[in-house]
Amino acid sequence: MKMKAYQEMSKDELLALKNKLETEFENAKGMGLKLDMSRGKPCPSQLVMGMDILDVLTSESDMIASNGFDTRNYGVLDGIPEAKVLMAGIMGVKPENVIVFGNASLPIMYDTISRSMTHGVMGSTPWCKLDKVKFLCPAPGYDRHFAITEHFGIEMITIPMSSDGPDMDMVEKLVASDESIKGIWCVPKYSNPLGVTYSDETVKRFAALKPAAKDFRIFWDNAYAVHDLYDDKKDELLEILGECEKAGNPDMVYEFCSTSKISMAGAGVAAMAASKANLDFVKKSMTIQTIGYDKINQLRHVRYYKDMEGIKAHMKKHADLMRPKFEAVQKVLESELTGLGIGTWTKPNGGYFVSFDAMEGCAKAIVAKCKEAGVVLTGAGATFPYGKDPKDSNIRIAPSFPTPEEMAKATDLFVLCVKLVSVEKLLAE
Amino acid sequence: MKMKAYQEMSKDELLALKNKLETEFENAKGMGLKLDMSRGKPCPSQLVMGMDILDVLTSESDMIASNGFDTRNYGVLDGIPEAKVLMAGIMGVKPENVIVFGNASLPIMYDTISRSMTHGVMGSTPWCKLDKVKFLCPAPGYDRHFAITEHFGIEMITIPMSSDGPDMDMVEKLVASDESIKGIWCVPKYSNPLGVTYSDETVKRFAALKPAAKDFRIFWDNAYAVHDLYDDKKDELLEILGECEKAGNPDMVYEFCSTSKISMAGAGVAAMAASKANLDFVKKSMTIQTIGYDKINQLRHVRYYKDMEGIKAHMKKHADLMRPKFEAVQKVLESELTGLGIGTWTKPNGGYFVSFDAMEGCAKAIVAKCKEAGVVLTGAGATFPYGKDPKDSNIRIAPSFPTPEEMAKATDLFVLCVKLVSVEKLLAE
């Protein structure tokens, strides 16, 4: 059955539809749903999957790292060698370009900005001494990135996203002309929330940027490096450190990654990759900040996953858990919204999110309606700097936590809310 | 046998002694010692003692915290409730005054200074916007404290230490008169390196300070809160949060502690205690910096130690390991140096260090001589701001890592070097 687009309906048709949808919504409210699709949070079965990691270190001899160092003791600032190898594998870089940190990558990114504020970047003026510091923020993007820059009073400039990545014409022009632009936030693979992987051309254009500020850095948050959903449809991301080096910009990028969404969300291992010059500068502060991160947990990860083959095998099981949830969302969206002209959405090959674009001016109302009936979504606007979506259109759907059945139910409610809010919007015009 | 003080010897006696000591030193060098007394690092047997902590979490049901939260997942910014209780017990404060962090307390202190630089303290001007920020540094003190303030360009003012703690007349006068003084570093119990515990009067005078700067804070690093050496000689430290509250200064103190020297030096749990107003301010940045610290490791600690009784029982075993090392040092120092007039030293009831004061102008030479013969000590001067001991006299001895036998050997060499350098000094006068 061909669906009629809402925009083609007469006022009477819309009013009749509104009545019908309102009844459905009241019924849905009565179901007492309580579902959370707000954050990219692993589900219980995913956590069970990796439980054995807690049992790999038991005896005295287990505790010694490959450099002979006792992981239980103080020391080893930048991570045990085998953890560098493992994390380098995930990012596709060389172990000597890696520092291994604590349980998550967010604090590394925060600390990187914080250090730039107080100590500058490889000899540059501390950003807190400058009148103005700006960051480019491809959006829709990751709310926690934007929260860091906002927290430090850094002015954020929104950069539109396409299926190839950020609008590189705009990025190139801005960084070349404005010395106060010190960085750009990127989630280059299965981006949060679009699920877009930057094209080779985009990565090469990033690597070839000619920023006016010599302390400009690309913040390359490779959070979903190994988070494919399908065996036969995998996005490939060009490795940026090598590209930057080739382009004569070896120091222009910091890459971040973690095992938070591989092993344990609360107790993973995180890492940063960058040029030696960058790492040397980072270590100058690091050696004051800490004697060393939790090396036992680093070793635990290496002993459990062993190598990239181990990570890949684990992530296949991860994909088997995630795929049905994503498929449940896609199925409902397709069957309920195709042809209605009231929303578009992404069909990513990996990552943690589906990104939905409602009609302009509808996102906040849809999120509020969902909440009214017990389904919590990421706050509308969260995917934009300052929490302000100029079109009030983008909604991030995070299918990782609920079961596939719950996801289907939650998406049923979601499409109902999209329809109802869209009808109301059209009637008000 | 009554020893003759070196100062009472004739030049000929000193020359003869020098010859004898030089021969002894050459022999000692031939022994090929390789001992490290430089850092307060736990020894292998201490690490073995706590190995079972790695086995307490094995099943699914083990992983749930008392608030029903799955410790494996994202969330719980300020620590699981039972970890707050445990860390509060160590500090003698209420759990509601505690935030539990990651694997060590040094990063909490660093972050606290860093946050004050960029965001001020509870509404005050960010310190990076001020012309001058100063810290008081009781010394001899902890080199890593001084390294943090130096790293942020904070001017350090040395405060002399007595057996009751810092010179409070000086502290009171300075903080009351100078608004640029924003903090003071304290290790109030079994202080690093003196082993001094602040007297009740000192703590009360701290709590009653009337600082000119409303963003002045006492940085109370209670690193050795439960690190007694003897059952029958335990220092008691007055709890400062309560004292500050009584004195009408509830927000004036941050307290820090960790289990680094209780469980695993590299993989402990650390905490901060402060007033609700302070904690609320800290959490404003923390919620941007992290989704949560490693809660599995927090839970592991609680399940292993259970409560303060468990901690105390563990620390008794810890004391049994440490005591013979301290006694080995004391025995050699007493038998070899008593009455010679060339050095004084502390006999602490707990903590990790013995502090030695050589004749003025001798510390650097003694440390260098020891190194020449294979015994590494903390760098002379390290216990003072900017690494500069004005008298070049203080040397920190850290007996925790070597065995008692090694400690005896190392101290034998140490006293030989003290004698030789002192004779050379007297001859050069």
Side-chain angles (χ1 to χ4, degrees), chain A residues 42 48 51 58 60 72-74 103 107 110-111 114 119 128-129 151 260-261 265-267 285 289 292-294, chain B residues 42 48 51 58 60 72-74 103 107 110-111 114 119 128-129 151 260-261 265-267 285 289 292-294 300:
Chain A
V48 174
M51 269 302 279
T58 49
E60 267 300 292
R72 296 168 299 182
N73 220 326
Y74 282 125
N103 74 318
Y110 180 98
D111 284 6
S114 183
H119 290 82
C128 71
K129 301 288 183 202
H151 187 64
S260 297
K261 280 173 281 284
S285 290
Q289 188 175 16
Y293 286 94
D294 184 342
Chain B
V48 173
M51 270 301 280
T58 50
E60 268 298 292
R72 296 168 298 183
N73 219 327
Y74 282 125
N103 74 319
Y110 180 99
D111 284 5
S114 184
H119 289 83
C128 71
K129 300 289 184 200
H151 187 64
S260 298
K261 280 173 283 284
S285 290
Q289 186 175 18
Y293 286 94
D294 183 342
R300 199 178 270 131

Side-chain angles (χ1 to χ4, degrees), chain B residues 83-96 98 257 271 308:
Chain B
K84 288 188 187 178
V85 171
L86 190 74
M87 301 310 283
I90 294 173
M91 293 184 278
V93 301
K94 291 179 210 146
E96 61 260 38
V98 172
C257 84
M308 273 310 286

